[in-house]
Amino acid sequence: MSWFLSHTDQVWGLLGHHAALAALPLLIGVLMALPLGWLARRHRALYTPMVAGAGLLFTIPSLALFILMPLILGTGILDPTNVVVALSLYTLALMVRTVADALGSVPPQVTSAARAMGIGSLRRFLTVELPLATPAISAGMRVAAVSNVSIVSVAALIGVPQLGSLFTDGFNRTFVTEIVVGLVACIALALAFDAVIVAATRLVTPWTRRRAS
């Protein structure tokens, strides 16, 4: 505890870096997954190859992907862009199937009624299908958010500063306290992400609150 109190600025700084490196790819990945999931649901022939391809993408070890990114992007090995792009791909891999299945869970009579009212495909997706699929998509986002918080830590092995740096430094110095502080901070960050996603989902889907009450 005394070590934490004397290094609060360091821990908060690493926590801020960690949060940014986990949150930005989550947003990018979800934004990319929405149109791809919509295509996979709209064109059944695309569903299997897109979902299978996304699943294969997630099997690539994170450390290997972090190291490959500078070669692909032409960035420096310590550039945080490598982590953002890699985690965006992981988020995309997790969310494509989630979005497709969430859209598929929208009652067909609802979409049929919207179509009968003359609502076009894009407008129907944005105003009817996506709002109804939001709770299911949110559940996938919660999984992706926790996954991102965990995977970001691996980037400490290539020198990108974030909470994982406490793990590597604590291990190198055989200092368990530093590792425990990093672990607790990661758990707290994951819980905070989860709470924000749940709150945002309830905010944009008020009908679910009325149904629960």
Side-chain angles (χ1 to χ4, degrees), residues 142-159:
R142 293 170 69 184
V143 175
V146 173
S147 175
N148 281 3
V149 171
S150 175
I151 296 175
V152 166
S153 303
V154 180
L157 296 175
I158 59 173

Side-chain angles (χ1 to χ4, degrees), residues 50-72:
M50 289 180 68
V51 169
L56 288 174
L57 180 62
F58 198 75
T59 63
I60 301 175
S62 57
L63 183 58
L65 195 56
F66 290 155
I67 295 174
L68 284 174
M69 281 296 109
L71 302 177
I72 297 172

Side-chain angles (χ1 to χ4, degrees), residues 30-202:
V30 170
L31 289 176
M32 291 191 299
L34 287 175
L36 293 178
W38 179 79
L39 284 173
R41 176 50 55 184
R42 186 173 178 82
H43 304 284
R44 293 303 182 97
L46 296 176
Y47 180 88
T48 299
M50 289 180 68
V51 169
L56 288 174
L57 180 62
F58 198 75
T59 63
I60 301 175
S62 57
L63 183 58
L65 195 56
F66 290 155
I67 295 174
L68 284 174
M69 281 296 109
L71 302 177
I72 297 172
L73 301 176
T75 55
I77 189 67
L78 298 181
D79 194 329
T81 303
N82 302 322
V83 180
V84 171
V85 174
L87 286 182
S88 296
L89 293 176
Y90 280 137
T91 302
L92 176 66
L94 284 173
M95 292 301 300
V96 167
R97 181 169 189 166
T98 298
V99 172
D101 291 346
L103 293 173
S105 68
V106 176
Q109 59 268 29
V110 174
T111 54
S112 297
R115 192 179 299 111
M117 294 172 62
I119 301 177
S121 297
L122 179 59
R123 184 183 170 197
R124 187 169 63 247
F125 169 70
L126 294 174
T127 62
V128 178
E129 297 172 352
L130 184 57
L132 292 176
T134 293
I137 294 174
S138 171
M141 288 182 63
R142 293 170 69 184
V143 175
V146 173
S147 175
N148 281 3
V149 171
S150 175
I151 296 175
V152 166
S153 303
V154 180
L157 296 175
I158 59 173
V160 178
Q162 27 74 27
L163 290 174
S165 303
L166 298 178
F167 300 151
T168 55
D169 188 62
F171 177 79
N172 290 333
R173 298 196 297 141
T174 319
F175 187 44
V176 177
T177 300
E178 193 171 2
I179 297 174
V180 172
V181 170
L183 180 61
V184 171
C186 282
I187 294 174
L189 183 60
L191 291 174
F193 273 29
D194 187 76
V196 168
I197 294 172
V198 169
T201 302
R202 290 178 178 173

